[in-house]
Amino acid sequence: MGIVAGLDSAPDFTRIVVCDTDTGAVLRQGYAPHPVDGDRPADVDPQAWLLSLGEAAGGGLLEGVQAIGVSAQQNAVVPLDAQGGTVRPAMVGGDKRAQVAAADLIDALGGREAWAQAVGCVPQAAQPVTKLRWLAKNEPDAALRTAILMQAHDWLVWQLLGRPVRRTTDRGGASGTGYWSAATGNYRSDLVELALGHQAMLPEVIGPADAAGTTPEGLLISAGTGETMSAAFGLGIGLGDAVVSLGASGSVMAVHPEALVDSTGMITSLADATGMHLPVVTTLNAVRTLRGTAELLGLPDLESLSELAMKSTPGAHGLVLLPYLEGERTPNLPHTAGSLAGLRRESMKAEHLARAAFEGMLCGLADALDVLRGRGVEVRRIFLLGAAAELSAVQAAAPMLFGAQVVVPQPADYAAIGAARQAAWALGVSQGTLDPRNPPVWQGATGQVLEPGDELAVGQAVRQQFVSVREQTHPGAFRP
């Protein structure tokens, strides 16, 4: 068939990969940082994304490419006026300034369960719907001038196509807005009005294999999607697979055939890039638990903490760390703190505290996995992402605590690869060589495979130790 490109506009940079349409082999790649001042500002001129895109594509990188897919950071709202001009810079990132707006919205619709039923998620500070509420309250003139709403990948696709009258998005991107339901496949424009104060034009949601359009030069542009969905597509995950992502906070997501409505708000019901669903459960504390423990013990880095933890044994001699250092979302304990239990004279050694930090982090993520398993989501294999996945203490404990095969994929630009795979799908459908129901079969992620093996029973005992302490400390807080 030829070659396609995948473009990932992340919070800090643009990455482009050029892939063979048949195999997915990466042939060329480009990179450029976004030209923005400061460390991840909350407001960004979207032109910065175009500038880094142009730089990343320099040197003839896209020569011979027949189609482009676009992946971009999620939760970035681009408010436009009636002529398509930006009303203000895009609102990006976690955006803690919108926390009050999230609480306002939850109350305005009648509580967490009302939101879960409406759109499959409860408003968080980062979400577009919450940012619209903040805009209406804090910049009413800008809110009043906002006539069109787009997200980062929608806006980039629209720019690549020359700003046509038709504006599009995909199910994956739409499902994270807080005003589109993955369960019904429809927008809730009343929630836009609730947040912004008036209606606004929203992009048309097109299918996973549909093309958004063709550039004047004849380059096909696929639907595009959010970074999470694109990375899952690039990894090649399917039914029975979950992805555990280790950042400062953590997330667990899995492929499921139907949308999950969760009245507690622990599950965010996203759509994926294939027509399936991608329920996500988030923890506020993952690698920040390890970093805090390393600092407490006077260690220079996480590698040193891992080496120290490996001198202990599973169960950390009875030490249990509940890693709720920033409060917690899973379980919902926003105002709590972390705690350390099981202190005895023989357990008061640095290596046992180091081990307890790794086990506490992973047991917190195992709790998140149990939320999905408790709703009928099958998990046979877990992809473990993030730099901390390479640590020996993580790899030793994760399979036994998660109770499943763990794959640590080789480092790659999975979001960009997923965007390229989507481009190949749309191109194949347009040429009549691929079925719109079945994406192209690419190799998917390769990596280290870790099995729980004989240590599964040991892992269950460590989990039970953690659960007992959690229930004693926060009785009834966790109901998967």
Side-chain angles (χ1 to χ4, degrees):
M1 284 168 61
I3 58 173
V4 291
L7 183 162
D8 177 37
S9 183
D12 300 317
F13 58 82
T14 298
R15 180 93 62 185
I16 301 175
V17 296
V18 175
C19 298
D20 180 277
T21 52
D22 294 325
T23 66
V26 176
L27 307 175
R28 306 190 290 266
Q29 47 194 319
Y31 167 88
H34 295 323
V36 295
D37 296 326
D39 183 29
R40 288 203 180 180
D43 294 320
V44 174
D45 183 347
Q47 292 295 328
W49 307 333
L50 284 181
L51 288 170
S52 67
L53 190 166
E55 186 179 341
L61 184 77
L62 300 179
E63 192 173 329
V65 163
Q66 296 168 276
I68 295 178
V70 177
S71 154
Q73 60 179 306
Q74 286 155 249
N75 298 324
V77 185
V78 187
L80 304 174
D81 60 26
Q83 288 72 46
T86 48
V87 168
R88 70 178 310 284
M91 302 171 70
V92 302
D95 216 344
K96 289 186 177 179
R97 62 189 171 179
Q99 285 174 338
V100 173
D104 284 349
L105 280 176
I106 292 169
D107 291 342
L109 196 64
R112 299 169 69 86
E113 185 165 359
W115 278 96
Q117 293 289 342
V119 287
C121 62
V122 178
Q124 304 289 334
Q127 281 185 296
V129 71
T130 307
K131 289 171 176 166
L132 297 182
R133 180 72 159 201
W134 182 91
L135 191 64
K137 295 289 186 183
N138 294 276
E139 298 179 9
D141 290 345
L144 202 58
R145 289 169 50 219
T146 299
I148 302 165
L149 293 173
M150 303 189 87
Q151 292 189 88
H153 82 81
D154 312 337
W155 188 84
L156 284 165
V157 165
W158 187 55
Q159 296 292 326
L160 289 171
L161 291 171
R163 297 163 57 103
V165 173
R166 182 192 189 215
R167 290 175 294 271
T168 63
T169 189
D170 86 307
R171 296 170 64 257
S175 67
T177 59
Y179 44 81
W180 185 88
S181 167
T184 66
N186 294 315
Y187 279 117
R188 286 289 302 264
S189 55
D190 58 316
L191 300 182
V192 174
E193 187 167 356
L194 180 69
L196 188 61
H198 60 87
Q199 295 287 350
M201 294 180 68
L202 302 169
E204 176 190 345
V205 181
I206 62 176
D210 292 344
T214 306
T215 68
E217 299 77 29
L219 196 62
L220 183 141
I221 309 293
S222 62
T225 195
E227 224 171 8
T228 297
M229 301 80 187
S230 196
F233 197 43
L235 281 165
I237 69 170
L239 290 172
D241 291 332
V243 176
V244 173
S245 183
L246 301 177
S249 55
S251 68
V252 177
M253 63 181 178
V255 178
H256 197 57
E258 60 188 31
L260 298 179
V261 174
D262 172 44
S263 60
T264 69
M266 283 195 288
I267 298 174
T268 298
S269 193
L270 301 177
D272 79 347
T274 71
M276 300 275 269
H277 294 269
L278 204 61
V280 179
V281 180
T282 302
T283 68
L284 294 181
N285 301 279
V287 176
R288 63 164 43 96
T289 305
L290 304 183
R291 295 201 185 283
T293 307
E295 289 171 13
L296 180 66
L297 294 173
L299 298 173
D301 50 42
L302 298 187
E303 287 75 14
S304 303
L305 184 72
S306 176
E307 289 170 13
L308 185 62
M310 293 300 285
K311 295 177 181 176
S312 181
T313 53
H317 274 248
L319 275 191
V320 174
L321 177 64
L322 297 182
Y324 307 149
L325 309 184
E326 295 279 318
E328 191 47 85
R329 274 184 63 182
T330 308
N332 185 30
L333 297 166
H335 306 299
T336 193
S339 53
L340 185 65
L343 284 169
R344 298 180 185 275
R345 180 65 191 89
E346 62 270 19
S347 66
M348 296 177 72
K349 294 183 178 179
E351 60 263 34
H352 302 324
L353 178 55
R355 178 86 189 195
F358 282 96
E359 290 179 348
M361 175 188 76
L362 292 168
C363 283
L365 289 159
D367 278 352
L369 266 170
D370 282 352
V371 172
L372 295 178
R373 283 171 164 150
R375 294 298 306 277
V377 177
E378 188 179 6
V379 178
R380 295 190 304 271
R381 179 174 63 163
I382 294 168
F383 288 85
L384 197 56
L385 302 184
E390 303 287 338
L391 297 173
S392 55
V394 169
Q395 295 190 5
M400 70 167 92
L401 294 177
F402 292 158
Q405 182 188 85
V406 171
V407 179
V408 182
Q410 291 179 342
D413 302 310
Y414 290 109
I417 291 168
R421 190 179 176 205
Q422 188 194 64
W425 194 5
L427 180 65
V429 169
S430 75
Q431 295 175 338
T433 57
L434 287 177
D435 188 319
R437 294 165 297 183
N438 299 307
V441 179
W442 284 9
Q443 182 180 349
T446 58
Q448 194 173 359
V449 178
L450 310 167
E451 300 283 357
D454 297 338
E455 296 199 309
L456 186 58
V458 176
Q460 288 174 333
V462 174
R463 276 292 317 276
Q464 189 53 53
Q465 178 178 272
F466 179 89
V467 168
S468 297
V469 171
R470 188 195 65 219
E471 282 299 305
Q472 288 169 3
T473 313
H474 305 286
F478 186 79
R479 290 286 179 265

